[in-house]
Amino acid sequence: MKNGERARAGHGSPAAPGPTAGPGPTPAPGPTVVGREAEIAEIRSRIAADRSHSSVLIVEGDPGAGKSVLLDLAVRLTRGTGQRVLRAVGSESEASLAFAGLHQMLRPVLDDLGGLPARQRSALRTALGLAEDAETAETADTPDALLVGLAVLTLVSDLSEPAPLLVVVDDAQWIDRASLDVLSFLARRMAGEPVTLLMGVRAAAVLPGFDKGYERLEIGPLSGDAANRLLDEQPKRPTGRTRARILREAAGNPLALVELARATADREPEGSGVEGPLPVTDRLEGIFARHVRHLPEATRRALLLLAAADAADAPAAARGLPEAADTVWAPAERAGLVRQDGTGVSFRHPLVRSAVYHAAPFEQRRRAHLALARQLGEEPDRRAWHLAAAAVRPDEQVSAALRETAGRARRRGGHAAAAAALERAAELSPHRADQARLLADAADTAVFTGQLGWVEHLAAGVRERSDDPALIGRAALATGRLLTMGPHHTAAFALLSRVADEAAATRSPRLLDALAAAAVVRYYSGEESQRQRIEALLADVPDSAAGAALRAWVLAVSDPSGAGASLAPALPRLIAAAKGEAGSLTALAVVAWLLDRTPLAARTFDEAFGRWQAHGPLPAGLACAAGWAYLEQGRWADARSVAAEIAEVASGAGLDHAEACARTLDATVLALLGEPAEARGSAERALALVDPLESRSVAVLARRALGLAAVAEGDYDSAYAQFRAAFTEDGDLVHYHVSPTVLAELAAAAVRRGHREPAARLLERSARHLGPGMSARLFLLVERGRALLAEPERAERHFRAALAGEAGEQWPFERAQTRLDYGEWLRRQRRVAEARPLLTGALDTFRRLGARPWIDRAKAELRAAGIEADAAAPGALTELSPQQQQIVRLAAHGLTNREIGEKLFLSPRTVGSHLYRVFPKLGITARAQLRDLLDDALQATGSAQ
């Protein structure tokens, strides 16, 4: 929706009847909304009682525009129909407390956590700080962020079972990052659930995870007519020059109109109004502060204590004011500063709270925070932050309390909260050396938030406070690690090179860490000069058992066909020595994948996967390598799961390159499954996220996916163009590791489009470049390409070489492609009897994998060879989407909808909906028939490898 297409809107007024914008439930009494007819109609359409699908709407506007009034209206409309509402309101002081917003939202339904699956319940309770006792809280494992999100998704799905559910989050720009990540996960995964999520956010605020892909309702300034109507609704209607100035200075901001009218109500009608050309927010805070000055002393103290308190601290604020009876709040309520209801007292608008707090002298604010800290002895995290707010000078005890808060936040997966606590602990530490160390710790932790600017700021703080090369290098390395996950790899490598140079000069062990991160950049960029620089620096690193895994990583990532190839025999030993060390296991699994030791890579990833997820939002090393290993081994559903998880994390953290990696992986699987339109969308999104010259690996992978999508549609002209883009005009490799994997596909497309000779020259040039370090997989791909491009009298020896031995079975799709190509060639040579077993074997593999375009091609070849391929149950299974196939297989093994949802990060309702739709396609009527169906399918197509 475009802002210009809507009626400009208005704000709440306590007098006058409510609007009637179309049919819908009648809300409970509340403020009138003037000039927001279109916005109200949009809100009503989202929360209609008969809604059966999910909906996400971002309500954004400047402070005072009326976002909160519209969200309040949505809550009243929903509750008026008897439906359930979950609500949270962000606050600046809670933004540093991990999962504070989530706790606020779920507080009314905490008793329902008992119905969650055990792992989800445990993760969510740990994230919310609800461990059974202090000892359990201290020793509990860091909850998997995705598992916490899944727990909330399951809970929301359960709560929406009786009736549609409304989730409202106001002032979302102040919701803590951990909670915001969960809400982003919920928004992306609740398709099909009768749940509406309304997010209120300031127009200029950045809302990670909600910045793309969701509809937005922009609450702009009121039109002149609506602004005048709103002023006419006020108890004392302004007139004359006063009215003109209010209209001019409010600039269509509804809250400003109401408050300026109230502020000038006691003046002469032709008075000058409010003085000074101030920004609206500052002006309004001045107005609210003027109200506060005229309140009784006891009321002002109560307001300040409430302003200093977080939402969860309100009971403590009440305990700190034994004299704060209801009569104390009455003057503030009459002044329009607070509202009272059954849940207690709250400020009418965040600007009121801000005005009350900032209008008070610091000493009064300090006393308020100290009073709250005394009341919060059993809430150490909140107590620590109040003590920090009251601190006027460095304080080691408060700094220590914040360090403990950071530790607890880390154990709960709250990296942003932990980093913020460490940063504030540094500010309060009396010693510069400790300040630098804590800021370096904060930078290490903030890496996991994906906020590059914050990490750079923390690293600058380290440099200002210390000349210790180790600390400065650690902070710079944190910045470099985060830069590798973004699109600017030249800058990332330059920074990491400096860190490595300094580490080499001081013989610091950090040199290997810096080179390991630099190797990642080298892989992503494909820049040859970077490889040379890494190898030169690596020569200064002495061999050691402790650094063996990292050294292997650096060599293999930088040059898998050269220096890395010599590591292959040592890999099993290195992996065995890394048992229990998640980081080393992951690094060595990546090495195995790079060297085309695919089964070893997949097994090692399987072993490390649980620990890998627990590392936090940033995947360790080349995380997508796990997905590529699974894809190459024929585990396509697992590959898509990896891609989905990385995309979830990366998009929420704003890590464009990591997201692009995940999207190219998913695009490739989609193309192989015969979903070319979806594959193109995902690949093109990946290309849009990166600079192809800075991220050659992603660029080539995306082009390969686009080429495979074109092959799936039979468009070999487009396929050839995409595959050819993996090489320079001169025929060199665009990317040293990815481009060679395109050679066989390029040859296949070239033959069909008459580009045999140039493709043959390019293939041989690449083979010479790869040299003796060529892996077994690349050798088979090169031989397949040679067979396709060769003259008939020379083709067969290359086909036989491409199919020789059992090694090729570890790459089932590629082996099936070669069988299909060879079978076609034999049939064209009129050797039909020899062609049939090859074509049948290829079809079996394609069916098992669900590669629909290649299934159709193999069937056509078999028909031409005189065999009508049986389209039995396996064909029905392959007609399902990859996600539906996963659900069917898990259900056939006896898993419940909840258990399936936990594995696939779906809600139980979504799982049930998929099963309901696929049963007719499979020709069954009961869940118990699934196992027999799969058994029959395996008998027909051959069991998995």
Side-chain angles (χ1 to χ4, degrees):
M1 293 172 291
K2 296 180 180 177
N3 197 34
E5 294 173 351
R6 289 191 221 92
R8 296 280 170 34
H11 191 65
S13 174
T20 55
T26 301
T32 300
V33 185
V34 176
R36 298 292 191 202
E37 291 77 14
E39 286 82 354
I40 292 172
E42 179 66 25
I43 293 289
R44 284 181 181 272
S45 72
R46 301 286 175 152
I47 60 175
D50 61 348
R51 67 183 186 272
S52 57
H53 300 292
S54 65
S55 177
V56 179
L57 182 66
I58 313 298
V59 182
E60 64 178 11
D62 292 328
K67 303 181 299 296
S68 298
V69 174
L70 288 169
L71 295 176
D72 286 343
L73 175 64
V75 170
R76 295 199 311 277
L77 287 167
T78 301
R79 285 179 174 157
T81 66
Q83 298 175 40
R84 199 166 213 168
V85 177
L86 295 180
R87 191 171 194 182
V89 180
S91 68
E92 289 177 281
S93 57
E94 285 193 331
S96 297
L97 295 171
F99 297 109
L102 189 63
H103 188 278
Q104 184 188 157
M105 185 181 89
L106 299 182
R107 187 163 44 191
V109 295
L110 291 178
D111 290 344
D112 294 287
L113 299 190
L116 294 174
R119 288 179 64 236
Q120 294 181 31
R121 181 175 64 250
S122 175
L124 184 53
R125 286 182 63 83
T126 300
L128 297 178
L130 300 177
E132 300 300 331
D133 51 49
E135 183 178 351
T136 303
E138 291 293 329
T139 60
D141 290 337
T142 300
D144 184 338
L146 293 176
L147 197 56
V148 173
L150 179 60
V152 175
L153 176 63
T154 304
L155 179 63
V156 164
S157 178
D158 290 347
L159 293 173
S160 66
E161 189 70 37
L165 176 71
L166 175 66
V167 180
V168 174
V169 180
D170 200 2
D171 284 321
Q173 71 277 357
W174 291 329
I175 292 290
D176 65 278
R177 181 58 185 270
S179 297
L180 199 60
D181 288 343
V182 172
L183 289 166
S184 176
F185 177 92
L186 176 67
R188 288 191 291 268
R189 292 282 181 161
M190 67 183 192
E193 304 289 341
V195 178
T196 295
L197 174 60
L198 301 181
M199 303 280 289
V201 62
R202 288 191 175 182
V206 176
L207 202 59
F210 290 92
D211 52 344
K212 309 167 194 169
Y214 297 106
E215 289 187 75
R216 310 184 90 79
L217 184 64
E218 299 173 9
I219 312 299
L222 287 173
S223 66
D225 177 65
N228 276 294
R229 283 192 288 127
L230 182 58
L231 289 180
D232 289 340
E233 296 287 354
Q234 302 312 303
K236 190 168 182 179
R237 184 170 66 91
T239 59
R241 286 183 299 171
T242 299
R243 185 185 187 97
R245 181 162 187 187
I246 290 172
L247 288 169
R248 183 177 67 253
E249 295 195 2
N253 184 282
L255 182 61
L257 287 162
V258 171
E259 296 305 331
L260 290 173
R262 180 175 291 160
T264 59
D266 296 329
R267 299 186 178 211
E268 291 297 321
E270 294 298 306
S272 61
V274 179
E275 296 293 335
L278 301 173
V280 169
T281 300
D282 292 343
R283 182 166 59 243
L284 291 179
E285 288 185 358
I287 293 170
F288 295 136
R290 180 183 305 162
H291 287 313
V292 173
R293 285 197 297 270
H294 299 295
L295 296 175
E297 175 64 23
T299 302
R300 292 204 303 273
R301 288 202 309 274
L303 282 172
L304 181 55
L305 200 62
L306 186 63
D310 299 330
D313 299 342
R319 291 197 302 271
L321 287 168
E323 77 277 22
D326 290 344
T327 55
V328 172
W329 298 110
E333 191 169 19
R334 286 196 297 271
L337 300 175
V338 300
R339 61 166 65 95
Q340 294 190 80
D341 54 33
T343 62
V345 181
S346 60
F347 286 107
R348 190 165 57 82
H349 192 277
L351 289 176
V352 181
R353 179 187 182 198
S354 179
V356 168
Y357 185 80
H358 292 291
F362 173 75
E363 185 55 35
Q364 292 181 16
R365 299 201 302 267
R366 180 173 181 271
R367 287 198 295 268
H369 284 295
L370 289 173
L372 287 166
R374 286 192 295 272
Q375 297 295 325
L376 290 166
E378 297 180 359
E379 297 282 348
D381 293 339
R382 297 181 188 280
R383 179 177 181 274
W385 278 105
H386 282 297
L387 289 172
V392 294
R393 62 182 60 86
D395 188 318
E396 179 57 35
Q397 288 186 330
V398 179
S399 178
L402 286 168
R403 293 197 297 270
E404 292 174 1
T405 288
R408 284 187 288 269
R410 261 195 299 247
R411 287 190 291 274
R412 293 166 56 193
H415 299 287
L422 288 167
E423 182 179 19
R424 183 63 175 139
E427 293 169 356
L428 293 175
S429 177
H431 307 295
R432 287 178 67 83
D434 290 338
Q435 293 171 14
R437 177 179 52 78
L438 288 168
L439 287 174
D441 291 344
D444 282 338
T445 304
V447 166
F448 294 98
T449 70
Q451 298 178 40
L452 179 60
W454 188 12
V455 174
E456 290 175 328
H457 171 74
L458 293 167
V462 175
R463 293 193 298 273
E464 291 170 5
R465 290 165 175 80
S466 175
D467 56 5
D468 181 352
L471 281 179
I472 294 172
R474 182 151 69 94
L477 182 57
T479 305
R481 287 172 58 205
L482 192 51
L483 275 172
T484 65
M485 307 304 289
H488 305 299
H489 293 125
T490 301
F493 192 85
L495 174 59
L496 291 166
S497 291
R498 288 198 300 272
V499 174
D501 283 336
E502 292 164 4
T506 59
R507 297 189 178 279
S508 167
R510 187 158 290 108
L511 172 56
L512 199 52
D513 293 326
L515 291 178
V520 175
V521 182
R522 148 68 174 163
Y523 184 86
Y524 288 156
S525 70
E527 179 60 47
E528 174 63 15
S529 63
Q530 293 176 359
R531 179 192 66 78
Q532 296 168 0
R533 181 80 179 120
I534 289 169
E535 288 189 0
L537 286 165
L538 192 61
D540 293 332
V541 180
D543 288 331
S544 69
L550 267 185
R551 177 180 280 275
W553 163 274
V554 173
L555 288 170
V557 173
S558 301
D559 187 14
S561 65
S566 63
L567 295 168
L571 270 178
R573 175 178 54 79
L574 291 171
I575 290 170
K579 293 294 185 185
E581 177 58 44
S584 295
L585 280 175
T586 304
L588 290 168
V590 172
V591 171
W593 169 69
L594 287 165
L595 301 182
D596 286 325
R597 300 287 300 274
T598 306
L600 178 62
R603 288 197 302 271
T604 309
F605 275 124
D606 287 342
E607 185 177 347
F609 212 86
R611 300 187 186 95
W612 174 51
Q613 286 180 311
H615 279 186
L618 279 183
L622 300 179
C624 262
W628 291 112
Y630 294 152
L631 182 150
E632 291 159 10
Q633 199 184 30
R635 295 166 55 181
W636 292 358
D638 290 339
R640 292 204 70 192
S641 294
V642 169
E645 290 167 21
I646 295 172
E648 289 278 356
V649 169
S651 62
L655 302 174
D656 288 349
H657 186 87
E659 181 183 352
C661 289
R663 293 196 181 279
T664 57
L665 170 60
D666 199 47
T668 304
V669 184
L670 285 167
L672 296 177
L673 289 167
E675 303 288 348
E678 291 182 45
R680 274 195 301 274
S682 193
E684 288 166 358
R685 171 63 178 156
L687 288 171
L689 286 167
V690 299
D691 178 347
L693 296 179
E694 292 253 357
S695 300
R696 293 184 180 93
S697 62
V698 166
V700 176
L701 286 166
R703 296 297 178 189
R704 187 177 73 176
L706 289 169
L708 289 169
V711 170
E713 293 178 316
D715 180 1
Y716 290 96
D717 284 324
S718 296
Y720 180 81
Q722 296 293 350
F723 295 141
R724 183 63 181 78
F727 305 88
T728 68
E729 287 188 10
D730 295 335
D732 291 330
L733 305 175
V734 169
H735 189 271
Y736 62 96
H737 179 248
V738 183
S739 292
T741 66
V742 184
L743 287 169
E745 299 294 351
L746 175 69
V751 169
R752 290 176 178 268
R753 304 318 303 164
H755 302 299
R756 187 187 300 269
E757 290 186 9
R761 288 195 300 271
L762 188 151
L763 185 145
E764 295 305 327
R765 184 186 183 108
S766 298
R768 287 192 300 272
H769 175 83
L770 292 169
M774 189 188 308
S775 70
R777 178 188 174 213
L778 289 182
F779 173 80
L780 298 178
L781 290 175
V782 167
E783 286 300 308
R784 178 191 168 212
R786 284 169 170 161
L788 290 166
L789 295 168
E791 295 299 327
E793 62 273 14
R794 296 200 301 272
E796 187 163 19
R797 67 184 179 90
H798 293 298
F799 275 126
R800 289 184 178 277
L803 290 172
E806 298 297 320
E809 298 299 331
Q810 59 191 306
W811 305 290
F813 179 74
E814 293 169 3
R815 174 55 60 103
Q817 284 182 298
T818 306
R819 287 189 174 117
L820 177 58
D821 290 337
Y822 190 20
E824 288 177 333
W825 183 88
L826 287 169
R827 186 186 62 78
R828 289 197 300 271
Q829 302 301 312
R830 302 184 184 278
R831 294 160 61 180
V832 176
E834 295 174 73
R836 287 170 179 167
L838 289 166
L839 296 173
T840 301
L843 178 59
D844 288 347
T845 300
F846 294 144
R847 275 178 164 171
R848 174 168 58 78
L849 296 174
R852 287 192 288 272
W854 286 266
I855 291 171
D856 293 341
R857 184 176 148 201
K859 284 181 178 179
E861 282 297 322
L862 275 169
R863 281 195 297 272
I867 297 178
E868 190 64 39
D870 180 27
L877 283 172
T878 59
E879 291 303 314
L880 304 181
S881 72
Q883 189 175 74
Q884 288 172 335
Q885 291 182 44
Q886 287 180 286
I887 290 170
V888 165
R889 288 189 174 93
L890 292 171
H893 285 88
L895 275 68
T896 66
N897 288 2
R898 255 177 210 283
E899 291 167 335
I900 295 170
E902 185 166 349
K903 283 184 173 293
L904 302 184
F905 297 99
L906 301 170
S907 73
R909 187 199 304 270
T910 300
V911 173
S913 176
H914 277 299
L915 288 172
Y916 176 80
R917 292 197 296 271
V918 303
F919 276 19
K921 295 180 182 178
L922 298 176
I924 61 174
T925 57
R927 198 181 190 105
Q929 297 172 274
L930 286 173
R931 181 176 288 278
D932 291 340
L933 177 76
L934 286 184
D935 288 344
D936 292 344
L938 287 173
Q939 279 188 345
T941 62
S943 59
Q945 60 182 336

